[in-house]
Amino acid sequence: MKIVIVGGVAGGATAAARIRRLDENAQIIVIERTGYVSYANCGLPYYIGGVIENDDDLTLQTPDSFWNRFRIQVRVKQEATDIDVSKKTVTIQELESKKVYEESYDKLILSPGARPVRPDLPGMNHERIFSLRTVEDTFRIRKFVEEQNPKSAVMVGGGFIGLEVAENLCDLGISVTVVQRPNHLMNTLDYDMASMVHAKLRSKGITLKLGKNVIGFEEHADGLNVLLKDDASIQADMVLMATGVSPETTLAKKAGLTLGMKNAIIVNDRMETSVPDIYAVGDAVLVKHAVTGTDALIALAGPANKQGRIAADNICGLDSHYKGSMGSSVIKLFDMTAASTGITEKAAKDAGIAYDRVVLSPLSHAGYYPGARVMTMKVIFEKESLRILGAQIVGCDGVDKRLDVIATAISAGMRADSLKDLDLAYAPPFSSAKDPVNMAGFMIENIATGKIKQFHWDEVENLPKDGSVTLLDARTQREYRYGHVDGFINIPVDDVRERLDELDKSKPVYVMCQSGLRSYIACRILTQNGFDCYNFSGGYRFYQSVISERMSAEQAYACGMDK
């Protein structure tokens, strides 16, 4: 059996190695348009910043190592330009010599990946404007940084690549501005959770221009002017375009394969395309979202690796099926970690799902052990079934661990309240006896069983201020003096029992504290004394983060309009 694989990196390289492990006699040929067949794509921003010092560390496998270990032929700097599905041949061009030849196949795997979106804007082709997708792109950017010593950079786009490069350039002492069209960074997070990411970046000196459109570039003596719609231009020595990626399916379209959303290749759960004996994997394929069951494009290394393995299994006579992706992801930004899985609250709302959510701010490990840091968790679940829809966590240590536990729970079909029952490892340097994941489960159980009712940050400004409800802040007097929400009176939680006569039982009571814990305790006291009580989800710390971000955004918008 002869297998031709178009494209290496995560999906293609994984498929090639898996086929060899299953079939020692197969002839395997990998065609890769770049000079690198298997490399650490996610590590590229860190090479630019010098965190990864040796360029050899970016390369996971080379053509020689593939041949020496697996007897797989890898042909780099060659591009597949056509597929004849009736003859079962691929037309290939050697990019340096321009020689064209045909290669026959019994089975064909397409792993072309995705290409950076480069809007058709005036001045877009300037040599100081970069994209980052390949190892060669990385070398070009690092060479420019080392030789030109830029003092300023603009990142157009606020996704993973743009933010990781922003962090690395900032650490090199370069002044960085991030510009993007949506009003918050990272579409894997909701606005409220992203507010903490915004605050971290601003604290490091990174300027954020959110809700802004780049409309072109102009050269000037010292670099570029980045032109914005309805705002002043930004001078920069270099620009990185990180406005997302789109499936690279030119070859698939020419071959007549069935395409779907954004021209992604439609495959079944065996990674088979609409044409017999042709499989497709990675960033170019349309998958089913594991939570919603809808079509999704998820350009991540983890799913691509799994899909490559599944295609290989099925080519070799096994019966493997792809179960969809939840888009689980994590990013490091300075000393902060942000992670998510499943769908966001916004996505649940847009899909018409009847959902609820809890927000909590536990410590990364036992508070009495040195070094504990606060993390903020948001877990979204379906109201009736308590099916877990997604989770977002922003913090420092231990974020990835908790996110992975919840992703596993989603995959296992666990109810959200069952998170309380998980038997998770505990020692003071690593966790608390009641892990943050357990705490989320306890909170959801309390909501599901009616022990507590909630209100959220986006409902605060609409609470009646006419005296028809009681607004109560259960923090200490000192905390209250340092900042509180207008209209909330202060009765510390430890004093609530003795001061019940100051509250009117005929009025609903909305209770707030710093994190949501003391207000929960106050609500339980009040509820059992005949009050109709609502606990504030996330606490004042969370509220302050979101509102401060909203005020920053409004001020930035006002300044832009003034100009």
Side-chain angles (χ1 to χ4, degrees):
M1 182 167 58
K2 181 178 180 181
I3 301 101
V4 174
I5 301 173
V6 177
V9 198
T14 295
R18 176 68 171 172
I19 291 170
R20 174 58 73 226
R21 292 195 296 271
L22 295 175
D23 187 346
E24 183 63 19
N25 298 312
Q27 181 183 0
I28 307 168
I29 300 170
V30 179
I31 307 298
E32 170 57 43
R33 139 179 81 191
T34 73
Y36 300 85
V37 65
S38 179
Y39 57 88
N41 196 304
C42 299
L44 300 184
Y46 301 99
Y47 179 74
I48 293 171
V51 177
I52 298 173
E53 298 178 359
N54 191 340
D55 56 9
D56 290 340
D57 292 337
L58 294 174
T59 305
L60 305 178
Q61 292 283 353
T62 66
D64 286 344
S65 67
F66 257 115
W67 178 256
N68 292 336
R69 178 160 296 178
F70 298 110
R71 295 301 187 269
I72 292 171
Q73 268 189 65
V74 175
R75 303 173 188 172
V76 296
K77 297 182 181 179
Q78 298 192 19
E79 183 172 11
T81 58
D82 262 309
I83 303 170
D84 188 322
V85 297
S86 59
K87 291 170 55 180
K88 298 181 74 170
T89 60
V90 181
T91 301
I92 300 164
Q93 182 179 49
E94 297 177 357
L95 296 179
E96 292 181 345
S97 69
K98 304 302 180 185
K99 175 185 173 183
V100 176
Y101 66 97
E102 286 188 349
E103 194 69 62
S104 63
Y105 66 86
D106 296 311
K107 304 288 184 180
L108 176 64
I109 300 177
L110 300 181
S111 179
R115 60 181 181 274
V117 173
R118 288 181 65 89
D120 184 16
L121 299 174
M124 188 68 186
N125 295 322
H126 196 281
E127 62 183 7
R128 290 176 178 264
I129 300 176
F130 301 91
S131 295
L132 179 58
R133 188 65 178 169
T134 66
V135 174
E136 289 89 345
D137 293 336
T138 311
F139 291 160
R140 280 192 293 271
I141 297 172
R142 179 156 165 173
K143 181 180 179 182
F144 179 87
V145 170
E146 291 176 341
E147 294 181 355
Q148 300 299 320
N149 192 28
K151 299 295 188 294
S152 59
V154 169
M155 305 292 113
V156 183
F160 286 86
I161 291 294
L163 296 185
E164 287 170 344
V165 174
E167 175 195 359
N168 278 274
L169 293 183
C170 182
D171 282 342
L172 292 175
I174 298 171
S175 176
V176 177
T177 299
V178 179
V179 182
Q180 81 157 17
R181 186 178 302 167
N183 69 345
H184 75 271
L185 303 173
M186 297 183 62
N187 62 10
T188 55
L189 302 178
D190 286 310
Y191 178 86
D192 49 10
M193 298 296 287
S195 67
M196 290 170 279
V197 174
H198 299 175
K200 171 59 67 176
L201 296 178
R202 289 193 176 104
S203 75
K204 295 295 183 178
I206 293 176
T207 300
L208 303 182
K209 291 275 190 179
L210 306 178
K212 300 294 182 180
N213 290 339
V214 175
I215 57 175
F217 306 91
E218 288 181 349
E219 185 174 13
H220 67 81
D222 299 319
L224 289 173
N225 277 330
V226 182
L227 307 179
L228 305 182
K229 183 179 180 181
D230 298 327
D231 204 346
S233 62
I234 307 169
Q235 288 191 357
D237 297 328
M238 63 180 293
V239 173
L240 178 79
M241 298 299 298
T243 52
V245 296
S246 61
E248 177 52 272
T249 54
T250 305
L251 183 64
K253 186 175 183 179
K254 287 171 69 176
L257 274 63
T258 302
L259 307 180
M261 179 174 65
K262 295 187 177 179
N263 285 326
I265 303 170
I266 292 179
V267 293
N268 60 18
D269 63 358
R270 290 168 52 87
M271 308 315 298
E272 296 169 322
T273 71
S274 59
V275 174
D277 297 323
I278 299 181
Y279 296 73
V281 301
D283 296 354
V285 305
L286 200 61
V287 299
K288 295 296 182 184
H289 197 288
V291 173
T292 64
T294 57
D295 289 341
L297 283 168
I298 298 176
L300 293 170
N305 273 280
K306 296 179 185 71
Q307 293 160 14
R309 181 185 176 94
I310 289 167
D313 283 356
N314 291 314
I315 285 172
C316 294
L318 302 180
D319 186 26
S320 291
H321 300 265
Y322 188 62
K323 297 181 179 179
S325 174
M326 296 183 295
S328 300
S329 62
V330 63
I331 185 173
K332 171 191 135 5
L333 295 170
F334 302 100
D335 63 343
M336 173 179 276
T337 304
S340 65
T341 189
I343 62 173
T344 61
E345 179 184 353
K346 180 181 184 301
K349 188 178 298 183
D350 291 346
I353 299 173
Y355 72 92
D356 204 346
R357 76 273 201 194
V358 293
V359 178
L360 59 157
S361 299
L363 293 175
S364 56
H365 60 249
Y368 59 82
Y369 188 88
R373 304 280 296 275
V374 172
M375 67 176 71
T376 301
M377 299 176 59
K378 180 178 184 178
V379 180
I380 304 153
F381 58 95
E382 196 168 35
K383 281 185 177 180
E384 290 299 320
S385 67
L386 296 188
R387 178 171 65 109
I388 308 171
L389 300 174
Q392 301 159 49
I393 312 177
V394 178
C396 298
D397 299 335
V399 166
D400 54 338
K401 167 185 172 180
R402 275 67 185 216
L403 193 283
D404 285 343
V405 170
I406 296 175
T408 303
I410 295 175
S411 294
M414 291 177 58
R415 284 166 46 115
D417 56 346
S418 295
L419 295 175
K420 74 183 191 306
D421 300 319
L422 292 175
D423 190 357
L424 303 175
Y426 159 63
F430 304 105
S431 183
S432 298
K434 288 185 280 192
D435 189 86
V437 174
N438 298 138
M439 292 302 300
F442 291 137
M443 292 171 66
I444 292 165
E445 181 192 47
N446 284 338
I447 293 168
T449 56
K451 292 183 180 67
I452 200 73
K453 294 185 288 187
Q454 299 186 104
F455 67 110
H456 300 279
W457 72 267
D458 51 357
E459 299 172 310
V460 171
E461 65 181 359
N462 293 323
L463 291 175
K465 304 297 192 300
D466 58 2
S468 59
V469 301
T470 300
L471 306 178
L472 177 62
D473 190 318
R475 296 177 298 159
T476 64
Q477 292 180 357
R478 182 179 181 184
E479 288 173 305
Y480 183 81
R481 284 197 303 268
Y482 276 124
H484 60 270
V485 179
D486 289 344
F488 278 73
I489 63 171
N490 180 221
I491 301 179
V493 62
D494 294 340
D495 299 339
V496 167
R497 291 183 181 89
E498 286 71 38
R499 297 175 63 178
L500 290 174
D501 57 353
E502 297 178 28
L503 305 174
D504 186 344
K505 283 188 180 181
S506 68
K507 299 178 182 179
V509 183
Y510 291 80
V511 189
M512 178 182 293
C513 74
Q514 191 74 356
S515 68
L517 176 58
R518 283 174 288 173
S519 53
Y520 160 67
I521 294 170
C523 269
R524 291 304 302 150
I525 295 170
L526 292 168
T527 299
Q528 293 178 81
N529 279 278
F531 290 85
D532 182 19
C533 195
Y534 296 79
N535 184 39
F536 184 56
S537 174
Y540 181 76
R541 180 193 296 113
F542 182 63
Y543 174 81
Q544 190 176 40
S545 171
V546 181
I547 297 304
S548 295
E549 170 56 31
R550 178 190 279 179
M551 291 174 63
S552 296
E554 290 173 351
Q555 289 168 1
Y557 178 78
C559 290
M561 292 300 289
D562 289 343
K563 295 172 183 175

